[in-house]
Amino acid sequence: MSSLIDFKSISKIYEIGKIKVPALIEVDVNIEDGEYVAIMGPSGSGKSTMMNIVGCLDAPSDGVYKLSGERVDGMTDNQLADIRNRRIGFIFQTFNLLPRADAFHNVELPLIYAGLPRIKRREMAKEALERVGLADRIKHRPNELSGGQRQRVAVARALVNNPNLLLADEPTGNLDSKTSYEMMELFGNLHSEGNTIVIVTHEEDIAAYSHRVIRLFDGKISSDVRQEPRNGSNGKFAGKPEE
Amino acid sequence: MGYAIHNISEGFWIAFRALFANKTRALLTTLGISIGVITVTLMMMIIQGLNTSVASQLEVMGSGTVYIERHPWIIMDDWWRYRNRPRVTKEQFEEIKRFSKLAEYVGAYTYTGRPIAFRNRTRDRVGIIGVTPATADAMSWMPEYGRYITDSDMITTRKICVIGADVKEQIFEPYDPMGRNLRVGPYNFKVVGILEKKGSTFGQSNDNYVMIPFSTLTHNFGHRRDVTIAVKAKDPSQMNDLIDELTWLMRRARNLAPNEDNDFSINDSAMLTDFYKRITAGIYAAGVIIGGISLLVGGIGIMNIMLVSVTERTWEIGMRKAVGARTTSILWQFLVESMIITMIGGIVGILVAMIGGKLLGQFLPTSLPLWLGLSAMAFSAVVGLIFGLFPAVRASRLDPIVALRQE
Ligand SMILES: Nc1ncnc2c1ncn2[C@@H]1O[C@H](COP(=O)(O)OP(=O)(O)OP(=O)(O)O)[C@@H](O)[C@H]1O
Ligand SMILES: [Mg+2]
């Protein structure tokens, strides 16, 4: 059985004029279905670059990326759009919600592009908002929600189409620590429901919730360690991590 | 196919949200389109109105009828060439009537303006037409009640008259005019008939006339007048033969040498139709040019605003692509948006043109048929499609990651 995410010698080189900036250098990594992985590393080490390639938002300069055993290079734009739509849920540091649309419409977006009818969308979007604990905020716009609630809307949007892979690039980067822990509780629950989660973070105590920590340094993997998570991603949630 | 319909209908709602968020800008952008639609629609409305007017005017003149007169109806070259022409006379009318073989009816008429009165009601100046008995048939202008002028009226120069519908309504109402005396200038004329209503052309009534015997008019109001000979063809398909015959008869009556030009004109409605076609072609051309320019300017405005919109919403496009929007979904979103803008412009334009048409209607005939409104809408949509295409393609081609990076 092949890995969910399979990086073979993946490189990403940005070219700014004549200067070549290597962001990822021959990275090999495998992530299995159902894993909960944190990617860490100093700023500029290539974390976002890696996430974007995993999420089929960006293509590597070199190497082979297989998602569920399928090579991603050579796929058409429409195929990639459908993968992002059905198999991957992306959560951004800056939430990326439509400011003038209510929570419902924001969550509904992936379903629109999945071609689902209105009634079905309403049902699924409500369910996703319930899962993130925002059942009573359906009609609220982003500016009527707190930062944590906004990020929950973004999570609901990532979840709504039932993808098997959730990608979050610094999801707690714009949240205070209390809200961050609540967010990690939510991620823990989602993981225990069977979702594969890959999360980029700067914070050790956020990474501590994961089962595996991959550290990047200057575009290369400097360490890849499996660990016992600090809290109940198995259903037992410990609230704040111990110091 | 189903996916395309889904794209368009969802694109509609997405576009609606975006436009609602930017109401002022959307409205300003529609202005250029509105002006274009107003121009074209108004021009078309005027032409439509003219068409119906001209049709009714041609009906008034009667089809298959030609008019022998001193001057042509429409003078395109130098007017002085016609200045010294002799009058058409009653004798020439008699001669045509006697010798024409292709004519079914030959009537004559002459015209003067006089005040008319009934009891205390007066009109300052009304057209008094002196006619011969055959004029009614020659011009297809019949009495609806009572009778027309007869030969015996002519011989005895009786003071009787056949009045137009306006005279009946404005002078006689509520009395029945039949048998009553109408004062024409200093004389009393007994009403013996009422003409069928002809309506108005170019805002001018065709029913404001009093017809009296030709001989009575020349006898009482002076005989040095221009006479018009109205000739109705036996066979309307032989108009050219009729005109040739009449030309020959007129030249003979006037003893013109072969090298002399005709010193009379034979007018027919075809001349008016030709002239009218030239005018409307001019209006069309002006409308198309002005409308085209304003639609072009409006279209470029749309394109500009859509490009700004794409740039402003780069991250939004990136986000939409990140959650699975295909290239075509984004393309349709922006195409539908620009089409909605131009169609709003189209609706505003049609409404303004309708109001403008109402105002113009006092001077010029106008009409707005359904097909004109619909094609104005379709045209606006097409302008939105054409000028929205470049910005929409640009939006749809955005790389999701490049788009997302731009916060
Ligand atoms: N579009 C780009 N063009 C040029 N260079 C880029 C581009 N995006 C990223 N880079 C470079 O690639 C390297 C890795 O960037 P990346 O965004 O992956 O870092 P990161 O680990 O996510 O950092 P941070 O923690 O600050 O988000 C950096 O040196 C960065 O300057
Ligand atoms: Mg980053």
Side-chain angles (χ1 to χ4, degrees):
Chain A
M1 158 113 201
S2 54
S3 309
L4 178 64
I5 296 165
D6 180 1
F7 267 32
K8 279 237 160 53
S9 191
I10 292 283
S11 297
K12 178 74 185 180
I13 295 155
Y14 292 105
E15 289 181 34
I16 310 168
K18 287 215 182 321
I19 309 163
K20 289 188 177 174
V21 183
L24 286 180
I25 303 159
E26 296 181 0
V27 171
D28 287 299
V29 75
N30 277 296
I31 296 172
E32 304 300 325
D33 222 342
E35 278 200 85
Y36 186 167
V37 181
I39 298 173
M40 298 197 69
S43 185
S45 56
K47 305 183 294 294
S48 295
T49 306
M50 184 170 163
M51 284 294 264
N52 292 337
I53 292 172
V54 171
C56 298
L57 288 170
D58 206 357
S61 319
D62 206 1
V64 175
Y65 169 31
K66 285 186 188 165
L67 180 67
S68 302
E70 288 173 78
R71 285 181 69 138
V72 168
D73 53 318
M75 283 189 183
T76 64
D77 281 353
N78 279 352
Q79 284 173 313
L80 291 173
D82 290 351
I83 285 179
R84 293 195 292 265
N85 187 246
R86 283 158 224 257
R87 285 158 64 178
I88 297 171
F90 227 108
I91 298 151
F92 306 93
Q93 179 177 354
T94 49
F95 319 143
N96 270 328
L97 300 175
L98 291 176
R100 290 177 205 266
D102 59 15
F104 170 73
H105 182 65
N106 271 296
V107 173
E108 165 192 51
L109 279 182
L111 304 176
I112 292 180
Y113 296 120
L116 294 176
R118 196 162 286 264
I119 307 161
K120 185 83 184 145
R121 298 201 307 250
R122 178 155 287 277
E123 191 185 297
M124 288 172 78
K126 265 180 88 171
E127 196 189 299
L129 280 163
E130 272 162 22
R131 276 171 84 186
V132 299
L134 283 180
D136 54 344
R137 296 285 192 281
I138 286 180
K139 289 273 161 227
H140 289 238
R141 291 182 182 186
N143 64 359
E144 296 159 348
L145 295 170
S146 73
Q149 288 170 330
R150 283 181 216 181
Q151 193 58 298
R152 279 166 191 272
V153 174
V155 173
R157 182 178 65 194
L159 285 175
V160 72
N161 219 0
N162 296 314
N164 52 355
L165 178 57
L166 282 180
L167 302 177
D169 192 348
E170 301 195 40
T172 58
N174 281 1
L175 302 178
D176 61 41
S177 54
K178 179 171 171 286
T179 332
S180 299
Y181 299 137
E182 283 167 12
M183 190 53 66
M184 293 329 288
E185 177 188 1
L186 178 61
F187 274 62
N189 291 338
L190 294 173
H191 176 241
S192 59
E193 287 168 19
N195 290 297
T196 312
I197 298 177
V198 182
I199 176 172
V200 168
T201 184
H202 273 123
E203 297 158 74
E204 293 291 347
D205 50 356
I206 294 295
Y209 287 78
S210 70
H211 293 219
R212 177 178 170 191
V213 178
I214 297 173
R215 286 176 200 275
L216 287 178
F217 190 80
D218 279 353
K220 288 180 183 163
I221 293 181
S222 60
S223 79
D224 184 348
V225 189
R226 281 166 207 278
Q227 64 179 23
E228 198 52 35
R230 271 203 194 160
N231 67 89
S233 72
N234 312 315
K236 290 176 272 145
F237 176 59
K240 273 189 157 192
E242 307 115 75
E243 293 303 312
Chain B
M1 189 56 202
Y3 197 74
I5 291 169
H6 180 82
N7 267 340
I8 294 169
S9 66
E10 290 306 330
F12 179 81
W13 290 113
I14 292 168
F16 223 76
R17 285 168 183 277
L19 289 175
F20 204 74
N22 255 319
K23 290 184 277 281
T24 331
R25 189 159 85 185
L27 277 181
L28 277 179
T29 321
T30 59
L31 210 62
I33 302 295
S34 298
I35 292 171
V37 170
I38 291 168
T39 330
V40 176
T41 312
L42 263 184
M43 297 282 177
M44 295 294 283
M45 283 169 74
I46 291 171
I47 290 173
Q48 280 296 310
L50 285 177
N51 278 344
T52 33
S53 279
V54 166
S56 74
Q57 179 67 49
L58 293 180
E59 200 195 314
V60 167
M61 291 185 307
S63 59
T65 303
V66 296
Y67 298 83
I68 305 174
E69 282 166 300
R70 175 141 66 144
H71 301 298
W73 283 342
I74 295 149
I75 300 179
M76 290 297 207
D77 45 7
D78 306 315
W79 62 269
W80 52 263
R81 284 181 39 200
Y82 306 97
R83 210 176 24 165
N84 293 324
R85 284 181 163 188
R87 290 196 168 98
V88 175
T89 64
K90 183 153 184 291
E91 288 67 37
Q92 285 153 12
F93 155 67
E94 304 284 2
E95 197 153 328
I96 300 267
K97 188 171 141 190
R98 206 168 137 207
F99 294 111
S100 173
K101 290 190 170 57
L102 299 176
E104 173 141 45
Y105 299 105
V106 181
Y109 66 86
T110 186
Y111 175 97
T112 185
R114 295 290 140 140
I116 61 171
F118 172 68
R119 300 199 171 169
N120 58 347
R121 263 182 265 174
T122 57
R123 283 282 167 281
D124 268 356
R125 210 182 134 83
V126 168
I128 312 297
I129 308 176
V131 297
T132 65
T135 308
D137 285 310
M139 294 179 72
S140 314
W141 198 353
M142 306 291 183
E144 191 170 12
Y145 300 105
R147 64 176 182 84
Y148 202 64
I149 311 298
T150 62
D151 281 320
S152 81
D153 296 330
M154 292 283 286
I155 295 162
T156 57
T157 63
R158 281 182 71 189
K159 294 197 183 61
I160 49 109
C161 65
V162 182
I163 59 173
D166 283 1
V167 177
K168 170 183 179 256
E169 282 160 22
Q170 292 166 15
I171 300 279
F172 285 101
E173 217 69 68
Y175 303 101
D176 180 4
M178 295 293 287
R180 293 183 193 271
N181 278 331
L182 175 71
R183 203 157 184 84
V184 180
Y187 311 105
N188 277 326
F189 280 70
K190 194 166 115 189
V191 178
V192 298
I194 300 162
L195 292 164
E196 63 194 10
K197 200 175 172 84
K198 287 275 189 180
S200 58
T201 35
F202 301 110
Q204 200 160 17
S205 172
N206 297 309
D207 300 308
N208 199 17
Y209 292 108
V210 174
M211 293 195 177
I212 63 175
F214 187 96
S215 55
T216 314
L217 190 143
T218 49
H219 185 262
N220 293 294
F221 301 118
H223 60 269
R224 290 178 55 83
R225 331 191 143 267
D226 279 326
V227 172
T228 300
I229 307 170
V231 184
K232 181 161 181 129
K234 274 187 184 138
D235 181 355
S237 66
Q238 290 188 337
M239 294 305 282
N240 289 335
D241 293 345
L242 175 68
I243 290 170
D244 287 346
E245 185 197 53
L246 295 175
T247 307
W248 182 78
L249 287 173
M250 280 299 285
R251 288 183 70 89
R252 193 182 71 168
R254 288 183 168 186
N255 286 320
L256 293 181
N259 63 342
E260 283 178 287
D261 285 338
N262 290 344
D263 56 358
F264 53 89
S265 291
I266 299 181
N267 294 316
D268 71 324
S269 52
M271 286 170 73
L272 282 193
T273 327
D274 278 1
F275 180 63
Y276 169 69
K277 277 184 186 149
R278 278 199 236 178
I279 294 180
T280 45
I283 299 178
Y284 260 116
V288 166
I289 291 169
I290 299 173
I293 289 174
S294 35
L295 283 177
L296 187 73
V297 170
I300 291 170
I302 298 285
M303 185 152 86
N304 194 37
I305 226 74
M306 291 309 292
L307 283 173
V308 170
S309 176
V310 170
T311 310
E312 274 183 5
R313 283 148 68 190
T314 298
W315 77 262
E316 177 193 321
I317 298 162
M319 182 274 285
R320 286 178 187 278
K321 288 198 149 187
V323 302
R326 290 181 175 191
T327 308
T328 45
S329 309
I330 303 291
L331 185 78
W332 275 113
Q333 177 190 336
F334 281 89
L335 275 185
V336 169
E337 192 170 320
S338 64
M339 278 163 74
I340 290 178
I341 296 180
T342 53
M343 281 169 82
I344 289 174
I347 291 171
V348 171
I350 292 169
L351 290 179
V352 173
M354 277 167 74
I355 296 168
K358 275 254 151 53
L359 297 178
L360 265 183
Q362 293 162 2
F363 317 101
L364 270 174
T366 57
S367 89
L368 178 63
L370 185 66
W371 67 263
L372 182 53
L374 290 181
S375 39
M377 288 307 297
F379 207 68
S380 316
V382 169
V383 169
L385 194 70
I386 291 172
F387 288 93
L389 196 61
F390 174 58
V393 166
R394 182 181 262 200
S396 69
R397 293 246 176 100
L398 280 176
D399 196 349
I401 196 66
V402 171
L404 269 178
R405 206 170 277 135
Q406 192 171 72
E407 290 288 321

